[in-house]
Amino acid sequence: MKIAIIGATGNVGRRLVDEALRRHHHVVGISRDVAAPREGVIFKQADAANPDALGAAVAGSDAVISALRFVTSDPDTLLDAVRRSSVKRYLVVGGAGSLETATGKLLVESEHFPAAARDEATGGKRFLDALRAVNDLDWTMLCPSAQFIAGERTGTFRVGGDTLLTSAEGKSWISFEDFAIAMLDEVEAPKHVRARFTVGY
């Protein structure tokens, strides 16, 4: 498959590129700044705020994955770009803040949610709301667990729906590397079209 990854040079984006290459996909890496050359990746420079340029950059792909921070991106602009590209499969790296906790509240609404992460989490919820109004694209949002960190590629994790996954000890976490596995699994064998899901240990 030909997979376009917007934000390909970020923490999550780099792992998505790694996983896509591991599976022998053709990768188009989209970034705002010039990226260092990498074997197997065609890098294209495009600003996520410019739907014409971004749409042209991802055109011809089988799927587009967006791995951008929510505080620096606009859902309507990104959706406009994907529509202009004529690509129908659109996947988004979400955030844990929009997931429900055991009490039924959103994680971002919980008392102990870090204030420094609130704007990003609120942006993620806004992006999810925008996706849920879309019926002309086959979108998916994959949300990580509460702790989303660099780690190992184990291939062992749980898949959930709208509720935050936690261990028996109350810990909620997933590595960038295992998250990338879950995202590429969804690209190759869609099970959550026009839906949000989550992964965690």
Side-chain angles (χ1 to χ4, degrees), residues 80-105:
D80 185 19
V82 175
R83 289 184 175 109
R84 293 181 190 215
S85 75
S86 297
V87 179
K88 291 299 182 183
R89 188 74 175 111
Y90 179 46
L91 303 98
V92 177
V93 176
S98 64
L99 292 167
E100 297 174 4
T101 64
T103 65
K105 285 186 175 182

Side-chain angles (χ1 to χ4, degrees), residues 96-101 105-111 113 146 164:
S98 64
L99 292 167
E100 297 174 4
T101 64
K105 285 186 175 182
L106 299 184
L107 182 62
V108 70
E109 298 170 345
S110 63
E111 181 181 352
F113 192 85
L164 183 74

Side-chain angles (χ1 to χ4, degrees), residues 65-80:
I65 304 175
S66 175
L68 298 174
R69 295 188 66 212
F70 296 117
V71 292
T72 58
S73 58
D74 176 68
D76 292 333
T77 301
L78 288 167
L79 286 165
D80 185 19

